[in-house]
Amino acid sequence: MEAYQAALAGETAPKRQIGQERTKDGSLGALVVAYYQSAEYKNHAHNTKRNYSNMIDRLRAERGHLSVAGFKSAHALALLDEYADRLGAANNLRRVLRILMRFAVERGWRDDNPMAGLRRAKSRSAGYRTWTDEDIALFEAKYPKGSRARLALALLLYTAQRRQDVVVMGRQHLRDGKIHVKQLKGDTRLALPVHQNLAEALTWVPAGQMTFLMTAQGKPFSPAGFTNWFSGVAKDAGLPENSTPHGLRKAAARRLAEAGCSPHEIKAVTGHKNLSEVTLYTAAVDQERLAEVAMKTVSGTSGVKPLSPVDKSA
């Protein structure tokens, strides 16, 4: 009504931010409102915004009354301690707090970032279990060529892409012997040569079916639905409980490393933004290969002069 009355008077009403009336100036809730209205947030990919907003909305509901200017590292640590038994959630909260406090500094809400120097909580877990070649052979023995399960395996293993990118792949993405991918995470564009095993698997897809993978009801998979279904067929094949689609992405990276591909070459396939993520996937392979080179060096089989024994009399 204020905007309507201002328009009748030929004036421009001040723009109100969504949720502004429910927040106190200078509070964490007000900071969240400002962040949601910023170009930084709006320019994030849909999935990134969704992931951030889940934690941000929870933080706003539970701690929105806190003062941004008075927020200290001790407050952040107290919040993080509440997630001590959920390291993934703790690190998500830490990431969100770093973003919000950096945003506060940039917008003049405070002079320093209290999140600077707070370390990321380390997990003892290695993350998603990487499929072994034995796992893959067991799966292929269970599901014949032409089956939906076998097609899913081929798409995951021979494109090295995430589940959300695999479930939308279709004939429209095939051009010039390559499958063209626009990754949902980060909007990275890739052109991947179609592996011969994947090309064979795609010949079983019905000619009129645009999306390669379909549910039993003839509809495209959602990412979560695909994970539930694929983990189930993996379990039926006798694989361990934690045999997920992402484990095949890691297996693809492992195979590339075993074939002698450099981290940059592997990154060109997986679409990772930085090499540190690739090295996490291939650490075991690199360790084994470097250890072999090192032992050949000291034994003299690599053409390098072997190390001389220590002269104990010296």
Side-chain angles (χ1 to χ4, degrees):
M1 289 305 297
E2 289 176 8
Y4 176 67
Q5 294 299 330
L8 291 178
E11 302 172 352
T12 301
K15 183 177 180 181
R16 290 181 177 270
Q17 294 179 329
I18 297 172
Q20 188 174 31
E21 293 80 2
R22 301 193 304 273
T23 61
K24 182 180 178 181
D25 288 346
S27 68
L28 189 59
L31 181 65
V32 168
V33 171
Y35 178 67
Y36 277 161
Q37 296 297 318
S38 70
E40 177 184 341
Y41 177 77
K42 291 179 179 179
N43 288 332
H44 281 312
H46 172 72
N47 262 24
T48 302
K49 287 194 286 189
R50 183 180 64 185
N51 292 338
Y52 284 173
S53 64
N54 287 340
M55 182 59 76
I56 290 175
D57 288 344
R58 188 172 192 176
L59 181 65
R60 180 186 180 189
E62 297 176 357
R63 300 291 193 277
H65 62 281
L66 294 177
S67 166
V68 173
F71 193 84
K72 301 182 183 302
S73 298
H75 296 132
L77 290 172
L79 290 173
L80 293 170
D81 285 344
E82 295 180 13
Y83 293 88
D85 58 340
R86 290 175 287 166
L87 289 182
N91 283 325
N92 286 338
L93 174 59
R94 174 184 168 276
R95 184 182 300 113
V96 161
L97 284 172
R98 283 179 66 91
I99 291 170
L100 289 174
M101 290 300 133
R102 174 182 50 76
F103 181 80
V105 172
E106 293 172 348
R107 300 303 172 100
W109 291 50
R110 57 180 297 135
D111 295 327
D112 64 328
N113 188 339
M115 299 303 297
L118 292 189
R119 293 174 295 175
R120 177 184 176 90
K122 292 185 178 180
S123 172
R124 294 179 182 272
S125 170
Y128 294 99
R129 189 183 74 88
T130 305
W131 285 44
T132 65
D133 288 339
E134 291 74 17
D135 293 332
I136 295 168
L138 190 62
F139 191 97
E140 290 180 335
K142 171 70 173 179
Y143 301 106
K145 294 180 180 180
S147 65
R148 189 166 38 135
R150 190 67 172 267
L151 173 62
L153 177 83
L155 285 166
L156 290 163
L157 186 59
Y158 297 113
T159 68
Q161 299 306 301
R162 302 178 182 89
R163 61 177 187 172
Q164 61 263 37
D165 299 314
V166 167
V167 296
V168 298
M169 290 179 179
R171 297 188 185 279
Q172 67 274 22
H173 300 121
L174 294 175
R175 297 190 301 276
D176 304 322
K178 297 181 177 67
I179 185 162
H180 294 259
V181 179
K182 181 183 178 184
Q183 292 184 323
L184 192 59
K185 182 178 180 180
D187 291 334
T188 302
R189 293 181 181 273
L190 304 171
L192 307 173
V194 177
H195 190 281
Q196 59 184 8
N197 290 350
L198 176 58
E200 181 185 3
L202 293 178
T203 62
W204 294 87
V205 179
Q209 183 174 308
M210 290 301 292
T211 303
F212 296 138
L213 286 171
M214 305 289 278
T215 67
Q217 292 73 38
K219 297 180 180 179
F221 279 100
S222 67
F226 175 71
T227 295
N228 291 336
W229 168 77
F230 190 78
S231 298
V233 295
K235 181 180 178 181
D236 291 343
L239 272 68
E241 289 281 349
N242 55 343
S243 300
T244 64
H246 201 80
L248 276 168
R249 174 170 161 84
K250 296 178 72 172
R254 170 183 59 79
R255 284 186 164 189
L256 290 168
E258 289 172 345
C261 295
S262 70
H264 284 283
E265 290 170 331
I266 297 172
K267 181 168 146 308
V269 175
T270 61
H272 282 101
K273 292 292 186 183
N274 55 66
L275 294 176
S276 62
E277 295 179 86
V278 175
T279 56
L280 285 176
Y281 282 17
T282 60
V285 175
D286 289 340
Q287 180 277 322
E288 185 175 351
R289 185 167 54 197
L290 291 172
E292 287 181 2
V293 172
M295 295 309 293
K296 286 179 180 179
T297 299
V298 298
S299 65
T301 58
S302 64
V304 178
K305 184 178 179 180
L307 297 176
S308 300
V310 176
D311 185 358
K312 295 182 179 180
S313 64

